[in-house]
Amino acid sequence: MYKSFSMELAGRTLTVDVGRVAAQANGAAFMHYGDTVVLSTATASDKPREGIDFFPLSVEYEEKLYSVGKIPGGFNKREGKASENSILTSRVIDRPMRPLFPKDYRNDVTLNNLVMSVDPDCSPELTAMLGSAIAVAISDIPFDGPCATTQVGLVNGEFVFNPNAAQKAVSDLQLTVASTRDKVIMIEAGANEVPEDKMIEAIYEAHAVNQKVIEFIDTIVAEVGKEKHSYVSCEIPEEMFEAMKAIVTPEEMEEAVFTDVKQVIEENIRVIKDKLAECFAEEHEDWLPLIDEAVYKYQKKTVRKMILKDHKRPDGRQIDQIRPLAAEIDLLPRVHGSGMFTRGQTQILTVTTLAPLSDAQKIDGLDEAETSKRYMHHYNFPSYSVGETKPSRGPGRREIGHGALAERALVPVLPSEEEFPYAIRTVSETLESNGSTSQASICASSLSLMAAGVPIKKPVAGISTGLVTGESDDDYLVLTDIQGLEDFFGDMDFKVAGTRDGITAIQMDIKIHGLTKPIIEEAIARTKEARMYILDNVMDPVIDKPRAEVGEYAPKIEQIKVDPDKISEIIGKQGKTINGIIDETGVKIDIDEEGRVSICGVEKAGIEKAIKIIRSIVEPVEAGAIYEGKVVRIMNFGAFVQIAPNKDGLIHISKLSKKRVEKVEDVVEIGDIVIVKVLEVDKMGRINLSLMDIIK
């Protein structure tokens, strides 16, 4: 026996079935939004995991291609590793929910979302976000919820909530907002230079919609919710803190962390840990495994007190002061474009690579409107950037998330394919890290793109603000440009990227139960002020607009438009014609369904020759036109010359020379390249040529 609950959400019906499937999970919500179906489950282990000092939460978003009636490609014909969209969706589900679990909870928790059917007008990602919140809320897992999520679009200046496929295609905003009953707890946005005041309005319109969803969730919990189970608290004993303070005074801890050099802080903390371990070794051996977590919390209390009460930042900066900045371009001589951006101990080098549109990334996912991606931004975070020795195992979820954020920030300023027919890849290498590497990668990428000659509309810069809160909603301090220590011990990482005219991307991570409107407004205002400073004083002096042409080592691409009906003539039988052009000229050729032909090559002469050949194929042969052709066949009465692929004309023996010709071979031989004039194209389409009318 199961129960079903429904509400109208943005003009479509949201239905939640509880007790219908997955009964052995702690909580399960079988979600229906339109024809989109997602099974969201929440499970928790019976006991805490030993030897850890964090809450072990795992969030999964599983895309099944049967949900859109497709069979996976490849030999195995089954889904492989998680797609980039799956990873990004999992992160968006994780970020608002993680702070609502008890901080001292160490039981493993897994939130799984299985996408089983997709309606293009009803987002499976949003359905999974709501499903996870409901599954945990009705479960016996401790959780200070519920929370709800809404997506917002901006179409013709008007907000649309949970936009359908057609609205998404023309929207200037892709905003996702999660809320608790009172506060906003997560913001993620991509935008086409949306002004700050419009963005704030959108956030709180979404917050209002979330309240209606939370009321709906409350009715479900009241009827089918389980009683929350008790758990073993893993909080550090208070007596241990008191003993630590006797060994390392608050003043000593403050001195240990009050520096702008990350390595110095790490060494100071190592010395403190060794001192505590030595003191606890005899009488409190049971405290030894807790030292790392206890010192972390001691640091956290010290840093937060310094900032909130004393207005002192660990590196001595003012509350709204940015770390020292630097920008460079053209560091790497042979790449297509490079730019480096340094902010304090955070340093990113971004490299731009240009290629034909055929090198665009192909996407085999659930969104049928997205089959390829022409711009790719990849972010790497090697261990040496933080002074560690770990082997590289490929990008993790954090790296993929940071790359996607920078990509989202830069897409609105990229030229169209018609303006710039290239596939574009930027790779951000983290050379040094101490906070806000994702935002530094946005700045470095802008520099690199302009250096590569990509005609972006405007440069984009990014900056992050932090937050330290006190006992009340009014007791808080917003910090501009947070470094690593302030990120670790603070309550917020509010990243905003944009141009001088508006926001292009937002990502907000918090560790508390939401933000008030004054905090959000101040954070957005601070990021705008800092963004303008970076653009005006750091990036513009290095390069303030894209270079007029792509670099020496970048491929050159010319694009022409042909009649789509002529595409088959360019390609030829089994690709013979187009492959012949490629072999002859050394170029790459891409043709789309609309008849746009992109010719890519390193040498301009080869590109021009390929264009000439293609034009000769698609343009009709007219009397009086002059062609360069190749003698392909000789008969008694004349020579056949190929003036274009699949276009042969005859030079009659009488038109070979102004003098009398006894044999055709006396004038031309097979393989000769000759310049000929078209005399006529007869009613049968036969082309008659002349060689003697060219000879002076």
Side-chain angles (χ1 to χ4, degrees), residues 59-61 82 87-88 90-91 395-402:
V59 180
E60 302 296 334
Y61 176 82
I87 291 168
L88 298 176
S90 298
R91 284 170 58 85
R397 290 191 168 196
R398 176 181 177 275
E399 286 83 357
I400 290 170
H402 278 12

Side-chain angles (χ1 to χ4, degrees), residues 191-202:
N192 188 15
E193 296 184 280
V194 171
E196 279 72 10
D197 57 348
K198 195 73 173 178
M199 184 68 77
I200 292 169
E201 184 184 354

Side-chain angles (χ1 to χ4, degrees), residues 516-591:
T516 62
K517 191 173 184 180
I519 293 175
I520 291 174
E521 289 176 334
E522 183 174 350
I524 288 178
R526 288 278 196 90
T527 57
K528 181 179 181 180
E529 180 184 343
R531 189 169 79 240
M532 298 306 168
Y533 177 84
I534 294 168
L535 289 168
D536 292 342
N537 297 285
V538 183
M539 294 173 62
D540 272 5
V542 174
I543 184 168
D544 62 350
K545 60 184 178 182
R547 285 177 169 148
E549 295 181 353
V550 298
E552 177 185 356
Y553 300 106
K556 314 301 184 290
I557 298 179
E558 296 285 344
Q559 194 173 77
I560 60 172
K561 187 79 167 62
V562 303
D563 183 343
D565 293 338
K566 299 285 187 179
I567 293 174
S568 60
E569 295 181 30
I570 299 172
I571 294 172
K573 189 177 180 180
Q574 297 179 332
K576 193 172 183 180
T577 303
I578 195 169
N579 287 330
I581 300 170
I582 291 168
D583 291 341
E584 183 178 345
T585 61
V587 302
K588 289 185 178 180
I589 301 173
D590 294 328
I591 309 175

